[in-house]
Amino acid sequence: MSLPHPRIVSAEILRNDPLTKEIREIVFRLPSDWGPAEPGQFVQVECRPADPFVLRRPFSIARTREGSGELRLHLVFAPVGDGTRALAACRPGEHTSLVGPLGRGFRPIPGRRPILVGGGRGVAPLLSLGDQIRKTHPEGLLLFGVRGPDQLHELEDPAYPIEIATQDGSVGFHGHLLGLLDALLEEGRIRPDSDAIYSCGPNPMLHALSDWAIARGFPAQVSLETLFGCGFGICAGCAVPVKQSEDEVGDEFGHYRFACVDGPVFDAERVDWEGVRE
Ligand SMILES: Cc1cc2nc3c(=O)[nH]c(=O)nc-3n(C[C@H](O)[C@H](O)[C@H](O)COP(=O)(O)OP(=O)(O)OC[C@H]3O[C@@H](n4cnc5c(N)ncnc54)[C@H](O)[C@@H]3O)c2cc1C
Ligand code: FES
């Protein structure tokens, strides 16, 4: 599929609500001809009106909804610093601008059952992945791992049955997502010969998950959250070390790829995790 051209658009904020103590959902009204976005792509948002910052901030597209001649874009985000706190302070009715859709998203593998694995706010792009592939891949599982109730929120109309893992044991499986994957594998509920893993979450989790999946023969794709600058391939701020294939040796970018244009989704086998900032 050829990717749509990214555009800068003015976006009206329709909602900006807390989902939990740490996580919020913001919904924008966009021009109806925006996109279409591939699951795993992201937008660069100007975090105003309180925003004196030069750089837009990247957010995965959690969902898009069409209706009544308009398009609604949903983002799930955590206020962790100045930009995201400014975004959290924006009120319905205010406008900001955003650029997108950007980057390369997930490439669902035909014939393989999707196992979506989201750590914390990393569940966001997996919601749009589920929305887009639920017809072609009717069977699947969504694993949602969080530390505890401060990150756990309801997932509206998920494409697949959900299994929750909490590190404090308050809900669902008691432990990390890898523990849950081990348990599902042991019970025969996931299988490397028929399933594929698609994941987003903190980099240490993605590193561990990639090692786990590769060792057991699961194909896996991971959406990396590296630090970003420009968001469109100019500043090299998002360079990700990758393992090169033979035909790439001597390529002008050496063993790096830009997460903002070549990713943020990469094959787990491709990432050279030793050099990724965790
Ligand atoms: C492709 C992509 C998709 C993303 N999707 C989402 C999303 O759906 N929801 C969401 O809440 N966040 C997402 N992020 C992370 C989000 O962009 C950062 O949290 C945000 O830019 C921080 O800006 P700030 O000004 O609030 O914080 P800053 O003041 O810039 O930083 C605050 C803290 O967050 C850390 N931080 C900053 N940027 C990142 C980053 N990219 N990854 C990890 N830690 C970071 C800093 O090191 C610092 O500790 C995504 C990032 C990328 C690259
Ligand atoms: S963020 Fe500037 S090149 Fe990727």
Side-chain angles (χ1 to χ4, degrees):
M1 164 181 157
S2 66
L3 295 174
H5 289 298
R7 289 162 57 191
I8 300 185
V9 293
S10 167
E12 181 189 348
I13 294 160
L14 297 174
R15 278 196 355 237
N16 187 357
D17 300 322
L19 295 176
T20 71
K21 259 192 195 168
E22 293 185 14
I23 307 287
R24 302 181 70 85
E25 181 179 41
I26 188 163
V27 182
F28 298 99
R29 191 202 316 270
L30 299 188
S32 58
D33 59 350
W34 188 84
E38 206 178 52
Q41 285 193 290
F42 65 95
V43 289
Q44 290 270 91
V45 180
E46 198 172 40
C47 296
R48 61 179 184 184
D51 182 9
F53 317 112
V54 177
L55 294 175
R56 294 167 188 272
R57 302 295 195 269
F59 299 95
S60 300
I61 295 168
R63 277 192 148 138
T64 52
R65 298 261 192 249
E66 285 174 60
S68 318
E70 66 179 37
L71 189 92
R72 292 180 178 214
L73 170 73
H74 296 238
L75 307 179
V76 174
F77 75 101
V80 293
D82 290 346
T84 43
R85 279 197 283 270
L87 191 63
C90 290
R91 294 283 155 257
E94 293 174 347
H95 286 72
T96 185
S97 91
L98 58 83
V99 185
L102 291 161
R104 290 192 171 271
F106 292 101
R107 296 161 304 280
I109 304 173
R112 281 194 173 256
R113 192 176 65 125
I115 310 298
L116 314 184
V117 184
R121 64 180 199 227
V123 77
L126 303 175
L127 298 175
S128 70
L129 178 61
D131 285 348
Q132 290 206 15
I133 63 173
R134 67 205 307 174
K135 282 210 180 98
T136 50
H137 299 71
E139 308 270 313
L141 263 186
L142 171 55
L143 315 188
F144 182 23
V146 292
R147 294 195 308 279
D150 288 352
Q151 303 83 40
L152 187 62
H153 52 92
E154 204 175 314
L155 305 177
E156 196 194 323
D157 187 26
Y160 302 120
I162 304 176
E163 297 274 346
I164 292 172
T166 50
Q167 288 172 33
D168 66 1
S170 53
V171 182
F173 178 85
H174 187 173
H176 289 270
L177 279 165
L178 287 196
L180 175 57
L181 282 163
D182 275 332
L184 294 173
L185 184 63
E186 211 171 290
E187 291 162 16
R189 293 178 58 201
I190 57 171
R191 297 175 37 173
D193 55 346
S194 58
D195 300 344
I197 292 176
Y198 307 94
S199 186
C200 183
N203 285 348
M205 175 209 130
L206 295 182
H207 182 175
L209 175 84
S210 297
D211 289 349
W212 185 94
I214 291 165
R216 287 158 186 79
F218 283 89
Q221 295 171 22
V222 292
S223 179
L224 290 185
E225 284 190 12
T226 60
L227 290 178
F228 269 28
C230 66
F232 47 85
I234 304 294
C235 70
C238 64
V240 173
V242 292
K243 296 170 191 156
Q244 284 180 296
S245 60
E246 272 182 22
D247 57 343
E248 289 171 332
V249 175
D251 159 317
E252 62 180 311
F253 296 116
H255 64 288
Y256 287 94
R257 289 293 175 272
F258 292 167
C260 66
V261 287
D262 303 310
V265 179
F266 293 90
D267 284 333
E269 287 187 322
R270 179 101 160 109
V271 180
D272 184 357
W273 288 102
E274 298 316 313
V276 174
R277 172 186 167 276
E278 296 187 352

